[in-house]
Amino acid sequence: MAQNVAQYGSSKIPGVPEPSFPNAYSEFDKARLRSYKLYEDLYFTNTEDYKVILRGQDAEGNEQNRPVYIPNAQKIVEGKLGYLCKGFKLTPNKTNTQVDDYITKLLKRENWDLKLRSQNRWKLVRGDSHWYITADENKPEGSRISIHELDPSTFYPIEDDEDRMIGCYIVDEVPLPGGKKGEVCARVQKYWRPTDNDGNLVPDADIKYKSELYETGKWDERNLDAKDLKVISTEEPEKDLPGIKSLPVYRDRNNPPQNGVFGRSELAGLEALIIDVNQMMTDEELTLIMHGLGVFATSAGAPRDSAGNIVPWQISPLTVIEHGTNDKFYRVEGVGSVQPMQDHMKYADSQIQQTVGLSDMALGVVDSATAESGIALQLKLGPTIVSNIEKQDVTKSVLAQMFYDLIRFWLPAFESISDPGEDYDVEITFEDPMPVNREKRFEQLMALWDASLISAKKITEELSKILGFELTEADFKAAIEDKKSMAIATDPLYASMGQDAANAGIQDPNAQNASGGAAGAAGATGA
């Protein structure tokens, strides 16, 4: 699939040296890895790849003050993350005890909620987050399969002449066998779909795998001639993965370009604004320092000691500055206000937030009146939630495919759990990210119930969502009967009528229907 390096054009910062990626050969891969590194640095406020200019450097270029960096990138990512893929739920369409139990234990063992949140965070930062399934036959049955977070900088796709992805490499650095301390080489794990002699994919064939060690940068079979490949050793020779019909890497992409294999960072296109805000903040601090401490000028010469040697100026309380009659010594008037800087900085910051659809409310800046108003809440959070819809849909699609493959291929191959068949499926859902006023919602549901406009089943479903614990229809009906019984027990007139009816041998139908009711008990005693 043709890839355009321009996808990562904004990540190339003028004046910043190109970082070295020894295992990336093509220009596209180098640009992709460069963007990952830059956006990670922006998120961590690591200034290795971008620096502000200090106006207060001395003649030798030494920094006189520390630069100021505002963690705008982290604010963007965490603000969007709070409304992305909330309340993950995996629901099978039918019961299969073996499969259901295994998936429940797998998600718990793999710390699924934590991994999903981490993957979504790095999807926003880098533009890509990859899931990776492995299995270890040496582990006890029931715990052989693992789901990993794969660093996308180690992933390189293999494509055929029709731009279909038919395999992938996972490339990382490991210590060089027999080498000196610190020497490394490239470990290349290759997964691929087998093809026939004409280059066509073999239908329903098992995925192939091998693992080899190469000299750093001498592994890329896609771009290098065979004579330029430098294999050091083979860790695992070529073999089939019995029963595995799909590649074990699942790519979740953020805002991918059309037909793109990789996504784009949520910070892409904002690099200049983020750096500009940091520059303005640094300049403002220097302005305040210079305005507070002052800059002085004199037409007199430098101060000297009794021997005539030049000594440093001493400008402080309780000191006296001497100069000649015609000499001048005065404070230089500078900027009287930093308000223009503040206005400019606020404008730049607002442009950053508007570009990514991040509202003040998503960052926790909200008044109680707005929070209480449903319409105002939707208007405020709407841009954030809408901008996350596509990201969430991509994640849902990727996870649905991963769990389909896990159930169909990996469980039968490694855990002796039979394929439940095509009629068994799981649905991936997420909660509505819009905050709910629980008290008002509860009142609305109760009003609907009192007006007989909602069923017991539906009201228990909705109450479970807003209260945070599971209620069933049976629980709701039992509660109604309990309430009815309590009302009967606390009504002395009704109880007296029930006793009189019981003494007269008249059966009270309401007492019979009220489970555990006082009148019913009295009637039974009288009988």
Side-chain angles (χ1 to χ4, degrees):
M1 188 175 293
Q3 298 296 333
N4 190 350
V5 178
Q7 176 179 341
Y8 302 111
S10 63
S11 66
K12 189 171 179 62
I13 306 299
V16 175
E18 190 75 13
S20 174
F21 303 105
N23 282 312
Y25 185 85
S26 71
E27 290 303 312
F28 180 83
D29 284 332
K30 289 178 181 178
R32 176 169 66 91
L33 268 58
R34 179 190 68 221
S35 76
Y36 291 160
K37 186 175 189 303
L38 172 65
Y39 299 130
E40 288 169 14
D41 286 345
L42 287 173
Y43 177 79
F44 287 124
T45 319
N46 176 9
T47 60
E48 182 179 344
D49 287 338
Y50 70 104
K51 296 180 182 296
V52 301
I53 300 170
L54 283 174
R55 318 296 188 186
Q57 291 180 337
D58 60 21
E60 287 75 33
N62 300 314
E63 295 181 354
Q64 300 297 298
N65 299 282
R66 294 184 62 185
V68 178
Y69 292 93
I70 301 175
N72 259 324
Q74 186 174 350
K75 178 178 70 174
I76 293 168
V77 170
E78 297 302 319
K80 297 296 288 290
L81 182 64
Y83 298 89
L84 180 61
C85 298
K86 292 182 64 177
F88 167 86
K89 191 173 183 180
L90 186 149
T91 308
N93 64 337
K94 58 186 298 187
T95 301
N96 185 299
T97 305
Q98 266 196 314
V99 175
D100 297 345
D101 288 350
Y102 187 90
I103 295 298
T104 299
K105 292 176 181 176
L106 174 69
L107 295 182
K108 183 177 181 180
R109 185 174 72 244
E110 294 296 313
N111 291 318
W112 176 258
D113 290 339
L114 184 62
K115 283 186 177 179
L116 179 60
R117 187 170 179 82
S118 173
Q119 286 285 74
N120 284 323
R121 174 179 287 109
W122 293 108
K123 171 183 173 178
L124 293 171
V125 173
R126 299 178 179 129
D128 297 296
S129 63
H130 291 14
W131 296 97
Y132 178 33
I133 297 179
T134 62
D136 186 350
E137 293 180 297
N138 295 320
K139 288 185 177 180
E141 190 168 300
S143 62
R144 292 172 179 167
I145 296 173
S146 298
I147 303 175
H148 308 274
E149 301 173 71
L150 180 67
D151 184 343
S153 66
T154 65
F155 174 85
Y156 298 83
I158 303 171
E159 297 169 327
D160 64 8
D161 295 336
E162 298 180 13
D163 291 338
R164 295 175 300 182
M165 194 172 80
I166 60 172
C168 66
Y169 303 97
I170 298 175
V171 183
D172 55 355
E173 289 188 338
V174 297
L176 178 66
K180 298 179 181 178
K181 185 177 181 180
E183 287 187 311
V184 296
C185 61
R187 178 177 62 184
V188 181
Q189 299 178 80
K190 180 180 179 182
Y191 295 90
W192 73 100
R193 302 176 186 273
T195 54
D196 58 24
N197 294 331
D198 297 324
N200 299 315
L201 292 174
V202 178
D204 201 37
D206 294 333
I207 295 295
K208 290 185 174 292
Y209 170 79
K210 68 175 180 179
S211 177
E212 296 176 307
L213 300 182
Y214 285 78
E215 290 184 16
T216 300
K218 303 295 184 181
W219 65 270
D220 197 344
E221 300 171 313
R222 306 167 305 165
N223 297 295
L224 296 175
D225 295 331
K227 61 182 178 61
D228 296 321
L229 301 174
K230 304 296 181 183
V231 179
I232 297 173
S233 63
T234 298
E235 288 191 318
E236 290 194 55
E238 179 180 323
K239 65 178 183 180
D240 291 338
L241 298 180
I244 308 302
K245 310 295 183 182
S246 61
L247 299 174
V249 178
Y250 300 84
R251 299 167 295 116
D252 193 354
R253 300 166 296 162
N254 185 67
N255 301 336
Q258 191 173 32
N259 297 321
V261 175
F262 298 96
R264 294 185 76 230
S265 169
E266 198 71 4
L267 307 175
L270 303 175
E271 305 90 345
L273 275 174
I274 292 173
I275 294 171
D276 192 35
V277 169
N278 292 330
Q279 183 68 65
M280 285 186 287
M281 191 66 186
T282 300
D283 289 348
E284 180 187 297
E285 185 182 62
L286 290 174
T287 300
L288 291 171
I289 291 172
M290 300 303 286
H291 185 67
L293 298 179
V295 177
F296 297 86
T298 181
S299 59
R304 297 176 181 273
D305 60 16
S306 57
N309 300 314
I310 295 177
V311 295
W313 285 94
Q314 296 292 329
I315 302 176
S316 63
L318 302 180
T319 59
V320 177
I321 306 296
E322 297 184 52
H323 56 82
T325 304
N326 297 320
D327 292 330
K328 296 181 179 180
F329 187 90
Y330 57 94
R331 177 172 177 163
V332 178
E333 292 297 326
V335 175
S337 170
V338 293
Q339 189 59 47
M341 285 185 178
Q342 287 283 331
D343 293 341
H344 185 39
M345 211 166 358
K346 288 177 182 177
Y347 175 77
D349 193 52
S350 69
Q351 292 302 302
I352 291 174
Q353 292 184 206
Q354 290 176 26
T355 300
V356 297
L358 186 64
S359 65
D360 289 341
M361 184 174 284
L363 300 173
V365 182
V366 59
D367 57 66
S368 58
T370 303
E372 291 294 330
S373 169
I375 298 298
L377 192 65
Q378 291 181 4
L379 291 174
K380 278 281 191 179
L381 285 178
T384 303
I385 292 174
V386 169
S387 68
N388 277 346
I389 289 177
E390 181 184 348
K391 310 175 196 302
Q392 190 161 292
D393 287 345
V394 172
T395 298
K396 187 184 296 185
S397 175
V398 170
L399 294 182
Q401 184 63 56
M402 184 175 76
F403 280 102
Y404 176 91
D405 294 345
L406 184 69
I407 293 167
R408 294 294 184 281
F409 307 141
W410 293 85
L411 294 189
F414 292 97
E415 298 290 9
S416 302
I417 297 177
S418 301
D419 181 353
E422 289 295 330
D423 60 338
Y424 179 93
D425 199 7
V426 294
E427 181 184 10
I428 307 294
T429 58
F430 299 103
E431 293 177 0
D432 184 350
M434 187 67 71
V436 176
N437 185 324
R438 295 188 178 189
E439 183 178 351
K440 189 166 291 185
R441 181 65 172 161
F442 182 83
E443 292 173 358
Q444 291 172 342
L445 290 170
M446 290 298 101
L448 289 172
W449 173 256
D450 290 340
S452 301
L453 295 175
I454 190 171
S455 67
K457 180 179 180 181
K458 184 63 177 177
I459 197 171
T460 51
E461 290 176 356
E462 294 301 316
L463 287 173
S464 295
K465 292 177 184 177
I466 65 171
L467 297 177
F469 49 83
E470 292 295 329
L471 287 173
T472 66
E473 185 178 357
D475 292 331
F476 191 70
K477 289 181 176 178
I480 294 172
E481 292 300 320
D482 289 345
K483 188 173 181 180
K484 187 188 300 183
S485 299
M486 292 171 64
I488 292 171
T490 56
D491 186 340
L493 178 60
Y494 192 87
S496 175
M497 291 173 61
Q499 182 64 57
D500 292 342
N503 292 336
I506 301 172
Q507 202 70 15
D508 183 358
N510 288 329
Q512 281 186 330
N513 292 333
S515 174
T525 304

